[in-house]
Amino acid sequence: MASEDCTIGGYEVPSKTIVLVNAWAIHRDPKLWDDATSFKPERFESGEGDAHKLMPFGIGRRACPGAGLAQRTISLALGSLIQCFEWKKVDEAEVDMAEGNGVTMPKAVPLEAMCRARQS
Ligand code: HEM
């Protein structure tokens, strides 16, 4: 919320206005990203994500205080799922990556998979 009248990017913002950052659009902006809508995790190997244009945890003093915990536990959980189980899709259809509606950006078509504990 704006604590006083101010100007952001040329727009006059009166005091007490709630301002939301459209991270969805920033994360897909072709002016910021090369081949913006492609899934390319390798783009972060060069440190491209450090430039304050990737903000899954928000930014600034109201950014997510759980970011460090989340980043550590997500890789631990994912690594454990891959290490401990064999995974298979339930059918041969290509995974549909379309986005559904909602704040947490669910998949439009849920991915169904089967897992089996690895033997060794
Ligand atoms: C993948 C996991 C997570 C994601 C993507 C995420 C993302 C976010 C985002 C985008 C915000 C809003 C930041 C803003 O207003 O600019 C937020 C706020 C917050 N998150 Fe997370 N978060 C995650 C995990 C966690 C965890 C594990 C905790 C606590 C253990 C946590 C606690 C909080 C709290 C308390 C806030 C409110 C901060 C405030 O308003 O000052 N989050 N998070």
Side-chain angles (χ1 to χ4, degrees):
M1 172 150 0
S3 49
E4 56 188 62
D5 294 353
C6 60
T7 307
I8 303 175
Y11 294 92
E12 287 176 17
V13 179
S15 171
K16 296 193 171 52
T17 304
I18 293 175
V19 181
L20 296 175
V21 173
N22 188 349
W24 187 96
I26 294 168
H27 288 164
R28 285 160 185 73
D29 188 344
K31 293 201 290 287
L32 298 177
W33 304 96
D34 172 40
D35 197 5
T37 51
S38 291
F39 177 65
K40 287 184 179 172
E42 65 275 16
R43 68 168 91 234
F44 301 108
E45 284 170 4
S46 62
E48 202 189 351
D50 300 343
H52 290 333
K53 56 188 190 181
L54 177 72
M55 47 184 108
F57 296 99
I59 224 161
R61 63 183 171 178
R62 294 305 297 268
C64 177
L69 176 67
Q71 278 166 323
R72 285 164 183 82
T73 49
I74 286 169
S75 45
L76 179 66
L78 187 60
S80 303
L81 289 169
I82 294 170
Q83 188 181 38
C84 302
F85 297 95
E86 283 171 30
W87 292 90
K88 228 168 66 172
K89 290 188 289 181
V90 295
D91 55 33
E92 294 310 308
E94 195 157 318
V95 176
D96 187 334
M97 296 298 288
E99 295 161 18
N101 296 322
V103 178
T104 55
M105 217 177 77
K107 283 167 63 51
V109 180
L111 171 62
E112 287 182 50
M114 288 187 297
C115 66
R116 201 174 59 182
R118 289 187 191 275
Q119 296 307 308
S120 51

